[in-house]
Structure formats: structure tokens, C-alpha cells
Amino acid sequence: MDLQAKKIALRKIPHGVYIVGVKQDAQLNAFTATWLTQVSFTPPLVALGIKKDSHSFAMIQQGRVFSVNLLGKDQKALAEHFVKPATVVGEKLRTVPHRPGATGAPVLTDAIAYFECEVREIANERGDHAIVIGEVVEAGVHRDEPALTLVDTGWHYGG
Ligand SMILES: Cc1cc2nc3c(=O)[nH]c(=O)nc-3n(C[C@H](O)[C@H](O)[C@H](O)COP(=O)(O)O)c2cc1C
């Protein structure tokens, strides 16, 4: 395989940019994610690719819930904030207004919209990212605006 072609082709998959919130017992965390897509209407399911060595993956395995916060076109700085790994779990959320959603996962006050999921399956033994399948159990819209995409940011995650 032409590795350069693989990289370029995979990076052409269109992606959004989200802040995924997680909860394990009383602990909350959130991180920037882009590998997310809907995979069923009934029930409403989404699949999220999540790095197996992240703090958030350990928390999602235990807590079994997550929130997906959608950002507006002018909120790249917020996505940048959540890219760094948690040094102290919860630290990244300290300075960002949020509230507990119906599942307890953090919902960002400034997100344009959000949905919350309960984890139904975790798969992908071979990959460095797990596939977490979540059922959407709650949703809300704060501002009905176009969402931030990976192309808007000029960043890459994939290849
Ligand atoms: C543009 C971009 C997209 C990302 N998308 C994902 C993703 O879809 N899944 C994932 O697990 N990590 C993704 N990351 C990496 C996480 O944001 C990063 O590993 C983060 O530090 C994890 O935080 P935590 O250790 O506090 O859980 C992405 C990073 C960037 C810069």
C-alpha cells in the first residue's frame, strides 16, 4: 500500500469537532473528539472512536455514559482547551461552565447543542482506539447554528 495515499485518503473523511464529556462516580472529564458518527435510527445509536490509553476511555468503561457537545464555528479555542490530556481528572472542566446532564455527564453551557448517551457496546480489540456505541437518551439545542468541523480548524486527526 502507498502509505502517503492512505494518509491523504483517510484524512478526506469529513469529520465534526466535539467535546465529549465523561463521568465516573463523582469524577468528570472531557476531551476533544472527531471520530463520531450516527450508526442507527432505531434505537438512536452513535459510534465514537476513543483512544484506549486516554483518561476518558478508562472513565467511560466504568461510568458507561458520555455527552457529546457540538461547537459553533467560532469555538475552536474551546476545542483546543480539551485536546490536552487530563493531568488531574476534572481540571480541564474547572474553567469551563458546565452542568450535569440527565446522565450526569457534563453538558457545556456554551455548546450550540448536545446529546447524551448510555454505553451499549465497546468493541475493536485490535485497534488503538475502542469503538464505543452509545444510545442517545437525551438531547438539547442551545443555539441552532452550523457546527464546527475539522476542516474549519485546519487540524488533522486520522491517516
Ligand atoms: C483534532 C483532534 C481530534 C481528536 N479526536 C479524538 C477522537 O476522536 N477520539 C479520541 O479518543 N481522541 C481524540 N483526540 C485526542 C484527545 O483529545 C486527547 O487524547 C485528549 O488528551 C484525551 O484527554 P483525556 O486523557 O483527558 O481523556 C483528538 C485530538 C485532536 C487534536
Side-chain angles (χ1 to χ4, degrees), residues 5-27:
K6 176 197 64 110
K7 184 159 118 184
I8 293 170
L10 285 175
R11 285 184 172 185
K12 289 194 185 297
I13 301 173
H15 287 289
V17 177
Y18 316 97
I19 310 297
V20 173
V22 297
K23 175 187 189 293
Q24 179 191 358
D25 302 323
Q27 289 199 314

Side-chain angles (χ1 to χ4, degrees), residues 6-147:
K6 176 197 64 110
K7 184 159 118 184
I8 293 170
L10 285 175
R11 285 184 172 185
K12 289 194 185 297
I13 301 173
H15 287 289
V17 177
Y18 316 97
I19 310 297
V20 173
V22 297
K23 175 187 189 293
Q24 179 191 358
D25 302 323
Q27 289 199 314
L28 303 179
N29 195 34
F31 68 102
T32 299
T34 191
W35 289 357
L36 178 97
T37 190
Q38 183 164 1
V39 291
S40 168
F41 281 121
T42 311
L45 300 176
V46 297
L48 167 69
I50 175 165
K51 211 160 155 254
K52 287 182 179 171
D53 63 3
S54 65
H55 297 91
S56 297
F57 181 54
M59 291 177 71
I60 225 168
Q61 283 178 294
Q62 297 297 318
R64 312 290 293 181
V65 293
F66 63 96
S67 61
V68 176
N69 295 274
L70 292 101
L71 304 178
K73 293 285 185 194
D74 59 350
Q75 291 182 300
K76 179 178 170 180
L78 200 50
E80 202 158 3
H81 175 77
F82 284 100
V83 162
K84 59 177 184 281
T87 40
V88 176
V89 166
E91 182 68 16
K92 283 185 277 184
L93 280 163
R94 205 173 45 83
T95 53
V96 178
H98 62 280
R99 63 172 176 84
T103 60
V107 170
L108 302 193
T109 314
D110 294 337
I112 61 167
Y114 69 94
F115 51 87
E116 294 177 67
C117 297
E118 290 176 357
V119 173
R120 296 289 179 243
E121 277 178 60
I122 300 179
N124 202 16
E125 230 167 81
R126 284 168 56 86
D128 53 13
H129 283 58
I131 300 167
V132 175
I133 296 181
E135 180 167 347
V136 178
V137 294
E138 180 65 290
V141 178
H142 299 146
R143 300 187 306 282
D144 192 358
E145 297 175 5

